[in-house]
Amino acid sequence: MKPQITYDTFVEDPFIDFEPNDATKGAESVLEWAYDTYGDSMIYACSFGAEGIVLIDMISKIKKDATVVFLDTGLHFPQTYELIDKVKKKYPGLRIQMKKPDLTVDEQAEKYGSALWKRQPDQCCYLRKIKPLEDTLSGAVSWLSGLRREQSPSRSKTNFVNKDDRFHSIKICPLIYWTWDDVWDYIKENNLDYNELHDHGYPSIGCFPCTQAVSAGGDSREGRWVGLQKTECGLHTVEKGGH
Ligand code: SF4
């Protein structure tokens, strides 16, 4: 294995001068480097959105037994769970883990009141997503994410390899140069299963209480946390809000 870059030794993205000119816009090279460098310890935190199934397909060609973690809040759409079942069958070697929060949805309602997502979505996201990922990444040196630069202004400066202050680790994002069209071209060309909600106006799919369909041509994340001052669950920001 190659020498590992860790949170404490990170200086800059080793791909800083890399100008990808291949069909995957550098994603394949970055994934090969990532698994060559971090091996079995690499964790892919997958939401099973469109980018997620692209990355899973690419990862399966590089590391058949890679670890994939889904943050199972207990509040996802049935279509999302159906997709995960299909992916598990298609890639039997992958170690797909369903990481659940400490509290069930009912236990959370008993402790914090019902529909916490309506009153304090940051706290709900902390309990059901961020804390479980903190637990998952505890002791891990690096993790993979499907962030793309064009998704939102807050993601526009994401590099292939990033120092992640939120989880004190290295966050690797192979798809930074991909457009939404690139994602769908790959899905169609490789005949991949995808969440059928994408065909019904849901470009970005999270928990059902916080996800709505968007108008044609709308921002890809416009349907998330509609009516709230919130655009991210907090996995990709450094603030430790909500708890
Ligand atoms: Fe809670 Fe909504 Fe965050 Fe899901 S997306 S954890 S329901 S606030």
Side-chain angles (χ1 to χ4, degrees):
M1 290 213 297
K2 293 181 178 170
Q4 291 185 356
I5 298 169
T6 69
Y7 180 86
D8 292 323
T9 62
F10 181 93
V11 178
E12 66 176 6
D13 180 3
F15 291 92
I16 199 78
D17 295 322
F18 175 53
E19 291 181 14
N21 57 8
D22 63 305
T24 70
K25 295 188 172 178
E28 202 171 274
S29 300
V30 171
L31 281 172
E32 283 170 354
W33 171 85
Y35 282 105
D36 201 17
T37 304
Y38 299 102
D40 287 341
S41 69
M42 171 68 72
I43 292 169
Y44 173 33
C46 182
S47 65
F48 287 84
E51 294 87 351
I53 57 168
V54 167
L55 267 185
I56 279 185
D57 190 68
M58 294 181 76
I59 288 170
S60 73
K61 293 169 184 161
I62 294 168
K63 175 112 176 114
K64 287 190 177 349
D65 61 347
T67 298
V68 178
V69 174
F70 174 67
L71 299 175
D72 184 5
T73 62
L75 292 162
H76 290 283
F77 290 94
Q79 292 90 337
T80 304
Y81 293 108
E82 283 164 19
L83 174 63
I84 293 171
D85 285 343
K86 285 182 189 167
V87 170
K88 283 179 176 173
K89 284 192 186 113
K90 180 166 183 181
Y91 309 98
L94 290 179
R95 290 179 278 193
I96 298 178
Q97 300 171 7
M98 308 289 277
K99 177 67 178 170
K100 295 183 186 300
D102 292 337
L103 301 176
T104 65
V105 175
D106 287 345
E107 287 167 347
Q108 179 172 298
E110 270 174 37
K111 189 166 179 183
Y112 296 96
S114 63
L116 185 62
W117 48 86
K118 285 186 187 165
R119 293 174 288 108
Q120 291 178 282
D122 284 343
Q123 187 177 28
C124 186
C125 272
Y126 177 76
L127 293 167
R128 311 205 73 71
K129 289 183 171 181
I130 297 172
K131 176 68 167 48
L133 188 56
E134 274 179 357
D135 293 345
T136 299
L137 296 181
S138 171
V141 176
S142 61
W143 63 295
L144 279 168
S145 168
L147 294 190
R148 294 181 298 109
R149 285 185 174 180
E150 74 159 19
Q151 278 174 317
S152 67
S154 64
R155 298 180 178 186
S156 65
K157 292 191 168 47
T158 306
N159 290 320
F160 282 130
V161 182
N162 305 269
K163 186 176 186 181
D164 181 6
D165 294 324
R166 183 66 191 75
F167 295 104
H168 201 82
S169 63
I170 296 298
K171 182 165 70 177
I172 300 166
C173 304
L175 300 182
I176 55 173
Y177 293 124
W178 284 47
T179 65
W180 189 230
D181 284 346
D182 292 333
V183 171
W184 282 98
D185 286 348
Y186 187 97
I187 289 171
K188 300 292 183 194
E189 282 165 16
N190 291 280
N191 199 24
L192 301 183
D193 292 312
Y194 59 87
N195 194 321
E196 66 182 55
L197 290 173
H198 288 307
D199 291 334
H200 301 284
Y202 293 79
S204 175
I205 303 166
C207 300
F208 66 80
C210 301
T211 307
Q212 292 183 15
V214 304
S215 52
D219 182 278
S220 70
R221 294 183 64 79
E222 146 189 328
R224 305 290 295 278
W225 300 286
V226 173
L228 298 169
Q229 294 294 315
K230 181 174 172 69
T231 56
E232 299 274 355
C233 56
L235 299 180
H236 303 293
T237 52
V238 293
E239 295 82 13
K240 298 194 178 190
H243 63 117

